[in-house]
Amino acid sequence: MSKLAIKSKKIIFNVSNLEKKHKIITYASLLFLTVSTYFLRSENQTVKIEYATLQEKSHNLKQNMIIFNGDYEDFPLPVWQKVKRGDKFILQYVNKAFIECFGHSFDYNRYNIIGKTNFESFNKNMAQQYYEADIAVSVTGEKLHSKPEYIDKENKIHRMKVLKWREVVNNKDTLIYGIVKEITK
């Protein structure tokens, strides 16, 4: 047992002397960190490129939805379209009248609201009202007349008369359309 202890002390002593003279462990650690940093940096660049690509694709999809729904673009009443994904309803389209009427809540830029759910865009109570109507239309498939609330430019709560209907595309996507028929102040 003492021979093993003496040999291990010799090995430790030799490694210690090498470290003192040549700083082997320090340089090995620095080399490892340098190589790791290089690979992380290149990986980071790849992620940035992929992120920029996804942003561009997202923007193009939003523009395509506006073109696809071009029939509603100049319609005088606010119109929107949502798609059901799981248990969420994601806004895909709003027309010009919608932007004029409700744009104060998203800086009059439709791209600030497209791609979001009601819960990301409105206060909890209103979002819940909108969600319940959306779910009712998506489940029953029947047109729904409702009177939900909205907040105007001066932060006053008003009611509006809304008609919502459902369209199922290719037995896959459930689209919910809505139109504001009247705003009561």
Side-chain angles (χ1 to χ4, degrees):
M1 187 73 162
S2 64
K3 286 182 182 181
L4 182 63
I6 293 171
K7 283 186 179 183
S8 62
K9 284 181 183 179
K10 260 186 184 177
I11 292 172
I12 292 173
F13 180 72
N14 287 337
V15 169
S16 177
N17 282 340
L18 279 173
E19 173 60 24
K20 287 177 186 174
K21 289 179 184 175
H22 303 290
K23 305 282 187 212
I24 293 174
I25 295 174
T26 303
Y27 291 129
S29 299
L30 284 174
L31 179 65
F32 173 76
L33 289 173
T34 303
V35 170
S36 298
T37 303
Y38 173 77
F39 285 120
L40 285 174
R41 187 175 294 139
S42 63
E43 199 174 295
N44 189 18
Q45 291 299 331
T46 305
V47 168
K48 284 181 181 179
I49 291 168
E50 289 174 1
Y51 177 72
T53 304
L54 287 174
Q55 274 188 321
E56 186 63 29
K57 284 181 181 178
S58 174
H59 183 71
N60 289 339
L61 284 172
K62 289 176 183 179
Q63 286 179 328
N64 288 342
M65 285 310 300
I66 292 167
I67 292 168
F68 177 75
N69 289 300
D71 295 343
Y72 296 113
E73 196 62 19
D74 293 321
F75 196 72
L77 298 174
V79 176
W80 64 92
Q81 177 194 60
K82 297 176 188 174
V83 64
K84 185 175 188 234
R85 293 284 182 253
D87 62 344
K88 296 180 180 177
F89 294 92
I90 300 167
L91 193 65
Q92 286 195 138
Y93 170 77
V94 294
N95 70 348
K96 290 177 185 175
F98 186 95
I99 295 166
E100 290 171 14
C101 199
F102 306 109
H104 58 277
S105 63
F106 51 91
D107 297 328
Y108 296 95
N109 182 349
R110 69 174 84 199
Y111 298 111
N112 291 342
I113 194 169
I114 290 177
K116 295 184 178 179
T117 66
N118 291 329
F119 293 98
E120 295 170 313
S121 303
F122 304 106
N123 74 41
K124 187 178 176 183
N125 292 335
M126 288 182 191
Q128 187 63 35
Q129 287 178 36
Y130 302 158
Y131 177 78
E132 288 172 4
D134 291 341
I135 208 80
V137 171
S138 72
V139 169
T140 65
E142 297 178 11
K143 292 179 181 176
L144 176 71
H145 296 272
S146 63
K147 294 182 180 180
E149 297 175 338
Y150 82 97
I151 297 176
D152 69 2
K153 295 176 193 176
E154 290 94 31
N155 271 342
K156 294 180 182 174
I157 297 177
H158 300 286
R159 290 222 175 255
M160 55 188 163
K161 292 182 181 177
V162 172
L163 170 65
K164 289 187 177 186
W165 67 96
R166 174 186 86 170
E167 181 180 326
V168 178
V169 180
N170 298 331
N171 292 326
K172 182 181 172 188
D173 287 333
T174 301
L175 303 177
I176 304 296
Y177 288 89
I179 184 169
V180 176
K181 299 188 315 184
E182 181 183 337
I183 295 176
T184 57
K185 299 218 175 203

